[in-house]
């Protein structure tokens, strides 16, 4: 018999090969099963986040046990002890427990794990989306920057051309356009003309009618409108065989007029002139117009409109300013010319006025005096007419004027009568003008050195000259002593005098002063003060006339008997042709019948009893001339037949006169003879038949 | 009589007509009109003539004798002055020629001849009123008296210069006279009594 052993006889298969394979596989499984958890642990340790650690542990345990099981299985292929079987069983049991637990757990876990995955996916999508949006925002921000820069560029200039050119350039750059063009309306408003382009330097000047449907389409909306690349406004260049023309967008640019601006009302109405901006994307690029790009274009169009309006306003105001400046300059010139003309006229009038008034006063005075004399009715009428022409001041005022003449004043003086008269009239006129009442006294005397005179004026009377002093005193308004220096200045008037009411231009005293100075004299005014009257005093240098010493000259200047020498026959003898002619002319003017001879012999031959006077020139040195006188005396024995003999000489000395007398001449005349002198001499001669001295 | 707008008024007092004016302007407007009327070519020429004549006196070319000479000119003898003056200039040139011949050779100077020539010249110039010429003749005579040939030559030169100068001036004057006559005006005989002594008061257009 065989003994029963507790050994489990393994079915030692007949197939040892199969056993071997199972053995190997189990081994590998075990290994794998042991290594998987290791890997898991390794990687879990490596990863930062793993929420399900304990699941892992569980799973690990499960796998380890499975591995253990398979490992232990290795020993069971051969005869093995009971321990092994025990261990095996334990392992299996454990494995079973753990794996069931794991299986149960997985039911909970796997959905979780799956949802993690979903969330991950979701997040990834989100991230992608955000990225996209980020990209978009960046693009937009970029675009915005471009717009700002563009606007800045556009608005930085007020020049139309620059604005438009810059716009096109910047737009082209920003949007990477192939072509960009601006169509402006023509003056008539019926056509759009291609004004600016980006690429073409000199755009061909061609126009399209404004009523095209595509244009209308763009003009009705303020938005950028996509238009067909084949429309007339977009066909800017000859199509050069491009496969696909880029998309084209057009937008209107309002052209604002000054008149469009109202304060509260942004212009978007009424008269609308628009320009058309056309933008073309590059051909063959398959690019499309994006919304943000269109927005950019719209914004730019608006900015351009604003900038253009500013430029227009500026132009307008510059033009207005230039015009105003021109007008101002012209007005200024005109004003200055007018002023100088007025000044000149006033000056001229003032001087002329005064110059005319003074003789007027003289005329008045003299006419008044004339009225006092005996006049025929006709003459009186004429004088009254003259007087009526001008208002006589002094007659109306009735101011008594007294005249005092010093006894030592010479009877005849030499001087400028007319100007002296003017001075006197002026001063007396002033006295009359500025006196409302009272009397006026005029005093004339010879200035002595001890008389009161201004310290810088010395009176030096010479033998032939003297200084005449005239004082005109009035009891009128008087003058403030401080104003006295100003009186002699042309046009200066003092306020203290009632000058406004009495008129007067202030020239009189200045002119008088000038005359007085010319006569080597001095003029001044003394006054106690306002209301105390004033005295005007002037000194002038006058010559003492020699005529006052003469007694021979007839006192009556015009001898009524012989004023007319008509037909009086006279003979003139003079060697000097010129003086002969002059003397002849003189006598002819007086009405005489003149014969002339140039030598004494001729004289003797010609002289006859018909000649009443013989004028002979005795200037040439020598005694021969005087001989003729003797001859004539011899020729005409009868006194009444003999012509009167007058010598014309250049000498004034006594010896000549004596000689003449001794030779029987009836008179001597100093050459050259004046007309008046000759007249007087002739009349005196013919009356008295003798002439004593005529020099 | 022109009433100067509203600045003047007319009144009849005691049967007489008074013409009042508040200020000088009334008169000056009236005067202005007169002045304007006077502003004819003739008046301008006359003024020119007078100014020129006065200047000749002021510059010493002429003296009072010339005035006297002008008095002798009337309708019967309209060219009296011109004739006398031209005779004088002919005389001058003849005398100057003869005197210069006499003074030519230094060793053979006929001072008597020169003296008589100077005497003639002096007489003529004083008859005509040629003041400057006459003055030169006076110094000429002095040189002649002391027989100073150099002095005489100098004086001769001066006389020549002066008479030629006067000739030109008088020629201009006579031309002006002719213009006045042709324009139908009368030649002013007398000097203006009220010459404006302030020629610098001219309307000046440059402020």
């Amino acid at each position: 018999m065989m003994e029963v052993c507790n050994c489990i006889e393994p079915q030692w298969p007949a197939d040892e090969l199969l056993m071997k394979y199972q053995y190997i596989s189990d081994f590998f499984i075990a290994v794998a099963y042991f290594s998987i958890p290791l890997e898991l642990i390794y990687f879990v340790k490596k990863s930062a986040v793993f929420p399900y650690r304990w699941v892992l542990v569980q799973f690990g345990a499960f796998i380890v046990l499975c591995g253990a099981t398979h490992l232990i299985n290795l020993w069971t292929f051969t005869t093995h002890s009971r321990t092994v079987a025990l261990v095996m069983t334990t392992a299996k049991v454990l494995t079973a427990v753990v794996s069931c637990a794991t299986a149960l757990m997985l039911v909970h876990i796997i959905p979780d794990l799956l949802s993690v995955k979903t969330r991950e996916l979701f997040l990834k999508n989100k991230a992608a989306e955000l990225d996209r949006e980020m990209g978009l925002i960046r693009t937009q921000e970029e675009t915005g920057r471009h717009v700002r820069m563009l606007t800045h560029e556009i608005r930085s200039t007020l020049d139309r051309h620059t604005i438009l050119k810059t716009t096109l350039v910047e737009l082209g750059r920003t949007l990477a356009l192939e072509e960009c063009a601006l169509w402006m309306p023509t003056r008539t408003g019926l056509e759009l003309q291609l004004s600016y382009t980006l690429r073409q330097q000199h755009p061909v000047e061609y126009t399209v009618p404004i009523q095209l449907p595509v244009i209308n389409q763009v003009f009705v909306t303020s938005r950028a409108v996509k238009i067909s690349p084949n429309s007339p406004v977009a066909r800017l260049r000859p199509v050069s065989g491009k496969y696909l023309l880029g998309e084209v967008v057009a937008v209107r640019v309002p052209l604002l007029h000054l008149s469009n601006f109202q304060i509260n009302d942004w212009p978007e109405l009424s008269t609308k002139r628009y320009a058309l901006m056309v933008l073309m994307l590059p051909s063959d690029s398959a690019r499309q117009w994006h919304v943000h790009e269109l927005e950019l274009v719209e914004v730019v169009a608006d900015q351009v409109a604003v900038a253009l309006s500013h430029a227009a306003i500026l132009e307008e105001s510059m033009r207005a300013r230039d015009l105003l400046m021109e007008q101002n300059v012209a007005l200024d010139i005109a004003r200055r010319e007018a002023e100088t003309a007025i000044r000149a006229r006033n000056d001229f009038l003032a001087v002329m006025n005064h110059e005319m008034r003074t003789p007027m006063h003289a005329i008045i005075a003299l006419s008044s005096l004339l009225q006092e004399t005996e006049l025929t009715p006709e003459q009186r009428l004429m004088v009254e007419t003259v007087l009526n022409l001008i208002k006589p001041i002094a007659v109306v005022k009735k101011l008594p004027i007294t005249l005092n003449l010093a006894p030592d004043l010479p009877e005849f003086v030499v001087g400028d009568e007319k100007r002296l008269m003017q001075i006197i009239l002026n001063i007396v006129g002033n006295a009359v003008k500025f006196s409302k009442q009272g009397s006026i006294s005029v005093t004339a005397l010879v200035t002595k050195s001890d008389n009161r005179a201004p310290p810088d004026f010395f009176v030096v009377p010479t033998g032939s000259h003297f200084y005449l002093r005239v004082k005109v005193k009035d009891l009128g308004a008087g003058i403030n002593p401080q104003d006295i220096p100003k009186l002699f200045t042309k046009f200066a008037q003092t306020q203290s005098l009632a000058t406004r009411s009495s008129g007067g231009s202030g020239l009189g005293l200045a002119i008088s002063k000038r005359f007085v100075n010319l006569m080597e004299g001095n003029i001044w005014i003394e006054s106690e003060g306002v209301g105390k009257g004033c005295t005007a005093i002037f000194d002038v240098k006058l010559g003492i006339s020699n005529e006052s010493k003469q007694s021979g000259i007839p006192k009556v200047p015009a001898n009524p008997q012989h004023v007319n020498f008509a037909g009086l026959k006279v003979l003139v003898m003079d060697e000097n042709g010129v003086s002969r002619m002059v003397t002849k002319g003189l006598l002819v003017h007086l009405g005489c019948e003149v014969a002339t001879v140039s030598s004494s012999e001729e004289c003797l031959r010609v002289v006859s009893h018909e000649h009443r006077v013989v004028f002979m020139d005795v200037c040439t040195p020598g005694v021969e001339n005087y001989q003729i006188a003797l001859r004539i005396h011899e020729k005409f024995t009868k006194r009444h037949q003999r012509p009167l003999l007058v010598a014309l000489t250049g000498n004034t000395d006594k010896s000549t006169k004596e000689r003449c007398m001794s030779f029987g001449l009836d008179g001597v005349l100093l050459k050259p003879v004046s007309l008046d002198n000759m007249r007087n001499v002739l009349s005196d001669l013919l009356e008295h038949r003798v002439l004593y001295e005529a020099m | 009589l022109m009433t100067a707008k509203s600045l003047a008024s007319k009144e009849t007092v005691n049967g007489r007509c008074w013409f009042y004016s508040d200020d000088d302007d009334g008169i000056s407007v009236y005067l202005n009109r007169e002045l304007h009327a006077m502003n004819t070519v003739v008046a301008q020429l006359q003024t020119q003539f007078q100014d020129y004549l006065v200047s000749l006196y002021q510059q010493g070319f002429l003296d009072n004798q010339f005035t006297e000479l002008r008095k002798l000119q009337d309708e019967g003898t309209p060219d009296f002055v011109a004739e006398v003056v031209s005779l004088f200039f002919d005389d001058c040139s003849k005398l100057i020629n003869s005197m210069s011949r006499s003074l030519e050779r230094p060793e053979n100077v006929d001072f008597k001849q020169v003296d008589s020539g100077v005497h003639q010249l002096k007489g003529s110039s004083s008859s005509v009123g040629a003041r400057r010429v006459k003055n030169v003749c006076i110094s000429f005579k002095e040189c002649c008296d002391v027989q100073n040939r150099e002095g005489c030559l100098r004086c001769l030169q001066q006389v020549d210069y002066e008479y030629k100068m006067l000739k030109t001036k008088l020629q201009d004057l006579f031309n002006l006279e002719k213009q006045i006559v042709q324009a139908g005006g009368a030649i002013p005989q007398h000097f203006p009594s009220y010459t404006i002594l302030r020629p610098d008061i001219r309307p000046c257009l440059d402020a």
Side-chain angles (χ1 to χ4, degrees):
Chain A
M1 205 154 81
M2 270 211 216
E3 298 168 354
V4 170
C5 64
N6 290 342
C7 308
I8 298 166
E9 296 262 341
Q11 299 284 8
W12 208 228
D15 284 17
E16 265 185 45
L17 197 68
L18 282 170
M19 284 300 183
K20 272 208 171 98
Y21 279 131
Q22 279 190 359
Y23 187 82
I24 295 168
S25 312
D26 270 335
F27 177 72
F28 274 112
I29 289 169
V31 167
Y33 274 12
F34 278 135
S35 56
I36 286 172
L38 286 173
E39 281 172 17
L40 271 172
I41 288 168
Y42 173 71
F43 282 114
V44 164
K45 274 221 157 68
K46 265 245 164 143
S47 86
V49 172
F50 194 74
Y52 301 109
R53 270 179 206 267
W54 66 275
V55 170
L56 195 68
V57 165
Q58 207 170 358
F59 209 61
F62 162 64
I63 288 178
V64 161
L65 281 171
C66 280
T69 312
H70 282 283
L71 188 67
I72 295 167
N73 217 18
L74 286 177
W75 274 269
T76 57
F77 284 108
T78 52
T79 323
H80 54 279
S81 62
R82 200 182 153 91
T83 333
V84 171
L86 203 68
V87 168
M88 182 76 201
T89 314
T90 323
K92 274 202 174 146
V93 168
L94 277 173
T95 310
V97 167
V98 170
S99 51
C100 286
T102 311
L104 282 169
M105 202 74 57
L106 279 176
V107 171
H108 295 290
I109 288 174
I110 287 178
D112 270 351
L113 279 175
L114 280 177
S115 74
V116 163
K117 268 288 168 224
T118 334
R119 245 178 280 155
E120 199 186 301
L121 200 64
F122 175 71
L123 278 170
K124 232 189 244 162
N125 282 345
K126 257 295 188 243
E129 210 177 288
L130 277 171
D131 269 339
R132 266 202 303 278
E133 255 169 48
M134 187 72 157
L136 252 163
I137 286 173
R138 261 201 220 108
T139 325
Q140 272 178 354
E141 199 231 339
E142 186 105 346
T143 312
R145 206 160 40 81
H146 277 290
V147 167
R148 271 196 301 282
M149 191 189 54
L150 237 161
T151 313
H152 176 76
E153 287 289 331
I154 292 169
R155 299 278 279 270
S156 69
T157 169
L158 285 171
D159 173 45
R160 239 182 133 74
H161 274 286
T162 324
I163 289 172
L164 294 169
K165 259 288 182 228
T166 314
T167 312
L168 297 182
V169 162
E170 292 299 323
L171 267 180
R173 220 188 22 222
T174 310
L175 300 172
L177 300 173
E178 179 185 25
E179 180 60 272
C180 192
L182 190 72
W183 298 77
M184 303 283 274
T186 56
R187 254 178 233 290
T188 57
L190 298 173
E191 291 180 323
L192 283 180
Q193 187 182 35
L194 182 61
S195 312
Y196 302 89
T197 55
L198 181 59
R199 307 284 174 207
Q200 291 169 324
Q201 287 305 18
H202 301 285
V204 174
E205 300 265 344
Y206 78 105
T207 61
V208 295
I210 208 169
Q211 291 303 328
L212 287 180
V214 60
I215 297 178
N216 277 337
Q217 190 191 356
V218 178
F219 277 1
V220 296
T221 170
S222 65
R223 308 193 59 96
V225 174
K226 290 207 188 100
I227 61 176
S228 155
N230 292 319
S231 53
V233 292
R235 295 181 77 80
L236 301 176
R237 294 199 284 185
V239 182
S240 48
K242 303 242 188 225
Y243 178 60
L244 187 68
L245 294 169
E247 287 196 346
V248 178
V249 141
V251 66
R252 72 177 189 188
V253 179
L255 296 174
L256 302 167
H257 246 302
L258 277 176
S259 54
N260 291 351
F261 278 107
Q262 312 290 325
I263 301 292
N264 299 319
D265 152 37
W266 187 247
E268 45 179 321
L269 0 130
S270 56
T271 86
K272 277 323 127 184
R273 276 170 26 111
Y274 296 109
L276 189 75
M277 194 150 60
V278 174
L279 306 127
M280 291 184 268
L281 288 177
S283 326
D284 299 338
S285 70
R287 249 181 70 185
Q288 298 243 320
W289 281 101
H290 300 289
V291 169
H292 69 271
E293 286 169 345
L294 294 178
E295 279 172 7
L296 175 79
V297 166
E298 284 156 26
V299 165
V300 167
D302 277 336
Q303 291 300 319
V304 166
V306 168
L308 282 178
S309 73
H310 285 180
I313 292 175
L314 184 75
E315 243 178 67
E316 194 63 43
S317 76
M318 297 278 275
R319 222 183 355 202
R321 191 195 66 167
D322 283 340
L323 194 66
L324 275 173
M325 256 170 54
E326 261 176 48
Q327 281 176 352
N328 264 358
V329 168
L331 277 172
D332 201 36
I333 291 175
R335 180 181 58 91
R336 256 183 304 171
E337 276 178 14
E339 271 177 15
T340 52
I342 289 174
R343 249 201 308 267
R345 184 207 65 167
N346 284 346
D347 256 3
F348 176 69
L349 276 183
V351 173
M352 281 312 303
N353 193 8
H354 187 275
E355 289 298 329
M356 287 294 162
R357 291 215 105 193
T358 324
M360 292 292 180
H361 291 151
I363 294 169
I364 295 164
L366 294 170
S367 306
S368 310
L369 287 174
L370 195 58
Q371 266 190 323
E372 307 302 317
T373 67
E374 247 179 58
L375 297 171
T376 70
E378 283 169 354
Q379 289 171 331
R380 186 164 288 279
L381 187 67
M382 285 184 223
V383 169
E384 283 189 3
T385 316
V386 168
L387 267 183
N388 284 348
L389 288 177
I390 302 145
K391 173 174 89 171
I393 311 163
V395 172
V396 170
K397 275 193 173 172
K398 291 198 180 344
L399 292 167
I401 300 182
T402 57
L403 175 67
N404 304 316
L405 296 174
D408 57 349
L409 279 177
E411 207 176 323
F412 297 97
V413 300
V414 175
D416 189 339
E417 180 195 343
K418 293 183 176 83
R419 292 203 171 84
L420 195 58
M421 176 76 122
Q422 218 177 341
I423 300 169
I424 293 172
L425 274 178
N426 190 270
I427 300 209
V428 174
N430 275 352
V432 167
K433 220 196 295 194
F434 295 121
S435 301
K436 292 208 167 50
Q437 77 286 335
S439 69
I440 295 172
S441 80
V442 180
T443 313
L445 49 109
V446 175
T447 316
K448 311 273 191 310
S449 349
D450 53 287
N451 283 9
R452 208 158 40 98
D456 57 347
F457 180 67
F458 297 101
V459 172
V460 183
T462 65
S464 57
H465 292 96
F466 79 105
Y467 284 87
L468 170 74
R469 172 166 295 184
V470 176
K471 283 203 261 200
V472 177
K473 187 167 158 56
D474 71 69
L475 296 171
I479 303 168
N480 194 335
Q482 291 167 337
D483 291 333
I484 288 182
K486 286 190 261 171
L487 284 171
F488 294 99
T489 319
K490 167 196 161 203
F491 293 129
Q493 303 222 30
T494 55
Q495 302 300 6
S496 55
L497 303 176
T499 49
R500 286 293 115 222
S501 59
S502 18
S505 61
L507 270 180
L509 283 175
I511 293 183
S512 300
K513 184 175 162 84
R514 189 179 155 89
F515 286 165
V516 166
N517 287 341
L518 283 173
M519 293 190 216
E520 297 179 48
N522 205 0
I523 179 171
W524 69 97
I525 293 196
E526 291 168 4
S527 175
E528 310 276 308
V530 176
K532 296 194 172 78
C534 85
T535 310
I537 307 171
F538 68 88
D539 287 327
V540 287
K541 186 175 175 188
L542 298 171
I544 301 174
S545 169
N546 288 332
E547 289 189 1
S548 57
K549 299 200 186 89
Q550 289 186 11
S551 50
I553 280 290
K555 290 104 193 159
V556 179
N559 194 329
Q561 291 176 8
H562 292 280
V563 165
N564 186 13
F565 304 112
L568 184 73
K569 279 190 133 177
V570 298
L571 182 65
V572 171
M573 187 207 88
D574 196 333
E575 277 182 12
N576 187 321
V578 175
S579 59
R580 190 170 61 232
M581 193 172 173
V582 173
T583 316
K584 176 176 175 184
L586 193 55
L587 292 162
V588 163
H589 189 80
L590 288 170
C592 307
E593 223 181 274
V594 185
T596 57
V597 291
S598 56
S599 67
S600 357
E601 291 82 19
E602 211 183 328
C603 179
L604 275 171
R605 257 185 296 127
V606 172
V607 72
S608 75
H609 61 88
E610 285 177 349
H611 295 112
R612 298 289 305 281
V613 187
V614 174
F615 291 93
M616 53 183 74
D617 172 75
V618 297
C619 288
T620 43
V623 194
E624 307 81 38
N625 299 311
Y626 297 103
Q627 299 284 352
I628 187 83
L630 292 170
R631 299 280 165 71
I632 293 179
H633 272 278
E634 284 163 17
K635 192 166 174 185
F636 299 93
T637 45
K638 295 205 178 48
R639 200 162 182 263
H640 64 273
Q641 282 180 342
R642 179 177 66 81
L644 294 164
L645 302 171
V646 179
L648 300 169
T649 173
N651 293 334
T652 58
D653 52 3
K654 259 179 127 30
S655 61
T656 318
K657 279 188 238 168
E658 279 169 6
R659 189 181 290 152
C660 290
M661 304 273 273
S662 67
F663 277 101
L665 285 159
D666 300 300
V668 182
L669 270 178
L670 180 61
K671 273 169 73 170
V673 191
S674 75
L675 188 64
D676 295 328
N677 222 0
M678 183 61 94
R679 194 188 284 124
N680 297 337
V681 158
L682 268 181
S683 58
D684 201 45
L685 202 63
L686 293 169
E687 195 184 320
H688 299 125
R689 288 197 66 80
V690 82
L691 184 73
Y692 287 112
E693 290 171 72
M695 301 185 210
Chain B
L1 178 72
M2 191 202 84
T3 316
K5 297 186 193 166
S6 58
L7 294 171
S9 58
K10 219 164 114 169
E11 227 185 77
T12 310
V13 175
N14 299 335
R16 280 168 149 197
C17 201
W18 297 97
F19 181 72
Y20 290 95
S21 164
D22 282 331
D23 55 23
D24 295 10
D25 283 353
I27 306 255
S28 47
V29 174
Y30 166 64
L31 291 173
N32 269 343
R33 283 283 288 266
E34 298 303 305
L35 284 173
H36 276 296
M38 273 165 48
N39 190 19
T40 61
V41 169
V42 168
Q44 279 172 340
L45 283 172
Q46 284 172 335
T47 321
Q48 221 179 331
F49 177 83
Q50 270 182 341
D51 288 343
Y52 193 60
L53 191 57
V54 167
S55 79
L56 288 180
Y57 280 89
Q58 283 175 343
Q59 288 168 38
F61 285 104
L62 301 169
D63 63 21
N64 213 24
Q65 179 58 18
F66 192 76
T67 323
E68 293 294 321
L69 220 59
R70 291 189 72 224
K71 283 190 198 166
L72 305 180
Q73 187 163 295
D74 54 25
E75 299 81 30
T77 54
D79 297 318
F80 180 68
V81 178
E83 281 170 11
V84 173
V85 159
S86 98
L87 183 64
F88 167 67
F89 290 134
D90 288 338
D91 236 20
C92 273
S93 99
K94 262 185 264 176
L95 286 167
I96 288 173
N97 279 340
S98 76
M99 279 195 284
S100 89
R101 260 177 304 187
S102 301
L103 288 167
E104 211 170 12
R105 277 173 307 204
E107 64 278 3
N108 192 11
V109 180
D110 186 358
F111 279 105
K112 261 199 163 44
Q113 208 261 348
V114 176
D115 186 62
S116 100
V118 172
H119 185 89
Q120 287 252 46
L121 206 53
K122 181 158 169 256
S124 308
S125 57
S126 49
S127 304
V128 158
R131 186 165 158 275
R132 281 199 191 180
V133 177
K134 186 183 76 180
N135 288 341
V136 176
C137 285
I138 293 171
S139 15
F140 200 158
K141 187 159 168 61
E142 284 167 17
C143 292
C144 213
D145 288 340
V146 300
Q147 303 211 337
N148 174 4
R149 181 175 169 269
E150 302 299 326
C152 285
L153 279 172
R154 266 202 306 276
C155 289
L156 186 70
Q157 231 180 7
Q158 212 176 338
V159 161
D160 189 56
Y161 171 76
E162 287 297 340
Y163 107 84
K164 282 185 176 143
M165 171 78 98
L166 182 65
K167 190 167 176 186
T168 325
K169 297 267 175 194
L170 286 179
Q171 196 56 53
D172 292 338
L173 193 73
F174 294 145
N175 282 343
L176 270 173
E177 260 188 17
K178 232 183 289 188
Q179 281 180 18
I180 294 176
V181 168
Q182 274 171 357
I187 300 170
Q189 282 301 329
H190 307 292
F191 294 135
S193 311
Y194 297 98
T195 333
I196 294 175
L197 284 190
R198 292 293 297 273
D200 52 300
I201 306 178
R202 237 178 243 111
C204 63
L205 296 177
D206 42 325

